[in-house]
Amino acid sequence: MKYWTILFLCLFPGILRAQQYTVNGKVTDASSGEELIGATVFVSGIQTGVVTNEYGFYSLTLEKGTYKLIFQYLGFNQKNVELVLDADKSLNIELGESVDELEEAVVSAAKQESKVENKEISVVKLDIKTVKEIPVVFGEVDVLKTISFLPGVQSLGEGSSGISVRGGGQDQNLILLDEAPVYNASHLLGFFSVFNGDAIKDLEIYKGGIPAKYGGRLSSLIDIRMKDGNSKRFAATGGIGSISSRLTLEGPIVKDKSSFMIAGRRSYADIFLPLANNEDIENSKLYFYDLNLKANYQLSDKDRFYLSGYFGRDVFGFSSLFGLSWGNSTATLRWNHVYGKKLFSNISLIYSDFDYGIEFQFADNAYFGSSQGFKDYNLKIDFANYFKPGNKLSFGGQFIHHTFNPGEFKALNDATKETIGNAELKIPDKQALESALYVDHEWKQSSRFSMRYGLRVSMFNNIGKAEEYAYTYDEFNKPVPVDTFNYGNNEIYNTDFGLEPRLSMNYNLNTSSALKASYNRTFQYLQQASNSATTLPVDQWFPSGLNVEPQRADQVALGYFKNIDKFGIEFSAEVYHKVMVNQIDYRDGASLFFNDQLDGELLFGKARSTGLELYLQKNTGKLTGFIAYTLSSTRRQIEGINDGDWYIDNNDRPHSVSVVGTYTFNKRVSLSGTFSYISGKPFTSPVSSFVYDGKRIAVYDGRNNDRVPAYHRADIGLTLKNKEKKNKRLKSSWNFSVYNLYARENPFIVNFEEVKVQDKDGEEVATGENQAVQVALFKLIPSVTWNFEF
């Protein structure tokens, strides 16, 4: 009997434990009802707690007893709740914003213990209020340009909203807006991003340690969440700026139960074009617009529905001679449900579309029109089981149907918009199915050690109807099809699998410092066709397939994190190493536009990136901001390029420094400034030239053998809040900013021109030498914006 008792206790050790109960609920903003993502719920006395998920939900399972729960969120007042836990309970908490943001924050013991522990390696969460304070070009708040100040993240250059994360390409970043992929995140050819700061609630960027829940890109995850809408009262925010204006409306549909948010933005440079004396300019177009929509409804304490969408477009046209337009559309329908007290679920139906078109006139009343596009339908199912504090199991799956439109070309009548004769060409659409299953476990072994580990299993199917080719290459290295393979409708003719393990670990040295490490493997089945350093809207997406292996990356990172609570300072140092295989480059003279044999133009190889990232941040007091430094090296080896030797990658920037700061003089006046320095972009320059048949031919020796001058710039901004009047809801402020304060002429384009000198007769003659000539885009740009809210 003794042995049977011992065996029973080993199999069911919890039978002798005190009875356990669960408390769960949501943490929201008291003024708007917005769910607070990443709020801390700390249990005083037993040194444990949880963090709210993407929907503000938390769940705590504790032994029967009386507890003091501490609810905290950055910029909000802490709330302490005495809880008698003698049964399963629901507890929803509203936190109010801090009234006096100028006072030094009093850091509680709970914050000291949880702040360094909750900081994930290679992950940065940005406060949207901080983003709005950073001065940018034309005074337009820009989420992606703010991200480029972070360590390990670099801008692709002046006039571009694209970023490179730890040496990766722009198409290797997964950008999500309310879970919907955004395939082109730029307005006005990259000068601005598509994200309206007034519509954004939360922003996180993962440079590594990506949870198993996410996949499909090699380098990073940028997770952006839109506001749900004020469920307490009607509110409006907006602004009138130098180049665009915006307006956001939000309010309750049913108070505390349902709400809506509508945010619109439009540029108006085209309004002034009719004032020009030139008829062609008068008839030109140049503008962008975007619209964010969201509504939610709480059906019960356990069920909530969300519907959100984004619609944006850019239009550029020079008279009737040339036109270019591109835009994104997304839609997300989500259903949250809580099973019991511990199991949280979310089911999402997601639509995403990107397309662009080009038009140019070739005769009176006739023009050519070309269009390309990309469309997704996505089903996503996620579950999270909160077993107990420090023990959370997440699992789920994702199924995406991709449709690629490689190109359509027509000759159209300008008056009727009908096709002229049979002047129509179309490359057949391509289809693919991308799916994945994942499991992810967060486990806290003790107050010192915790880990998160998971596995994502991904699969990619190419689906007919399709025509594929096998290639050989002629004497000019041009692809020549030697065999053709035809596949019927909905026929799966190629399948790729990916096993993607994920691991991150945390060891607390004490309450203010920690060591962290991570490893992740990621697969990417989609890529963008671009042979320039900056991705353009006309660069098409295409899938892996019979001739294109999926890209794969393995990354390890190690970090040290330290909080100096007395001064409100956080410091981190991370080192990383990333290896990427099946990387893509293009043959010399490759034709990427309107090419049904694009996969024959590709070359394949591998890449590696190694770096050190330092980050110092101050969150409290009158002076706040951060300093970031990155030391990195990115190299590439592609068979058929540079004689097969390793060469400098297009995204290699050895040194990057960013300084971002805001000084708040009082409640009405604040001054913000930024400074950034980035090593020059690599490029291939000719080493000599010769004359053949009357033409000068450049001679090159190695890929990316030179760099443009380093990029550096300082910006400054002053915010003046108008005096608030009693019993008046209207609040307004003026923002005055200067972009590129000392008028640095940073290179936008580098051209090579033949050096010419004057002979004795005063005529220009060629010397036979080439010189690099850079074109600068922006010098000093002042801007003024009036912002309001009520």
Side-chain angles (χ1 to χ4, degrees), residues 50-191:
V50 295
V51 174
T52 58
N53 70 2
E54 301 94 325
Y55 302 94
F57 175 83
Y58 75 94
S59 177
L60 271 169
T61 299
L62 304 167
E63 294 180 357
K64 180 180 179 180
T66 301
Y67 298 95
K68 178 182 178 182
L69 301 185
I70 302 174
F71 295 84
Q72 299 168 330
Y73 191 74
L74 183 65
F76 285 72
N77 293 319
Q78 175 178 301
K79 180 171 284 191
N80 302 332
V81 177
E82 292 287 342
L83 175 69
V84 178
L85 193 61
D86 53 6
D88 290 340
K89 294 186 176 182
S90 293
L91 180 61
N92 296 322
I93 295 295
E94 293 184 340
L95 298 182
E97 286 194 73
S98 300
V99 177
D100 192 348
E101 298 177 357
L102 299 182
E103 296 180 358
E104 289 288 344
V106 178
V107 182
S108 68
K111 283 187 178 180
Q112 291 180 17
E113 294 173 5
S114 65
K115 190 159 51 174
V116 70
E117 180 179 346
N118 290 336
K119 184 80 70 173
E120 298 178 79
I121 187 171
S122 304
V123 180
V124 179
K125 180 175 181 177
L126 287 178
D127 179 30
I128 195 64
K129 292 182 180 178
T130 302
V131 173
K132 289 183 176 182
E133 292 173 350
I134 296 175
V136 290
V137 64
F138 296 117
E140 191 68 31
V141 174
D142 197 311
V143 169
L144 291 187
K145 289 191 184 300
T146 302
I147 289 175
S148 68
F149 288 115
L150 299 175
V153 184
Q154 282 132 10
S155 169
L156 292 182
E158 190 77 277
S160 172
S161 63
I163 57 174
S164 168
V165 178
R166 291 183 170 177
Q170 177 171 323
D171 64 341
Q172 294 175 349
N173 304 313
L174 177 61
I175 302 176
L176 300 178
L177 180 63
D178 270 8
E179 297 190 286
V182 178
Y183 286 98
N184 187 285
S186 68
H187 278 314
L188 289 184
L189 295 172
F191 294 119

Side-chain angles (χ1 to χ4, degrees), residues 20 22 60-61 342 385-389 391-393 441:
Q20 294 185 329
T22 298
L60 271 169
T61 299
K342 300 182 181 182
N385 197 326
Y386 297 78
F387 291 109
K388 61 180 182 179
N391 194 341
K392 174 185 172 184
L393 181 69
H441 187 211

Side-chain angles (χ1 to χ4, degrees), residues 477 583-588 601-605 636-648 650 684 702-704:
N477 206 27
Q583 297 301 282
I584 295 173
D585 214 313
Y586 302 90
R587 299 177 183 276
D588 292 338
E601 304 279 11
L602 308 181
L603 296 172
F604 302 94
R636 190 173 266 240
Q637 185 184 47
I638 304 289
E639 191 64 36
I641 296 178
N642 209 51
D643 295 326
D645 296 330
W646 288 91
Y647 60 92
I648 297 173
N650 287 339
T684 305
R703 176 72 67 95
N704 288 343

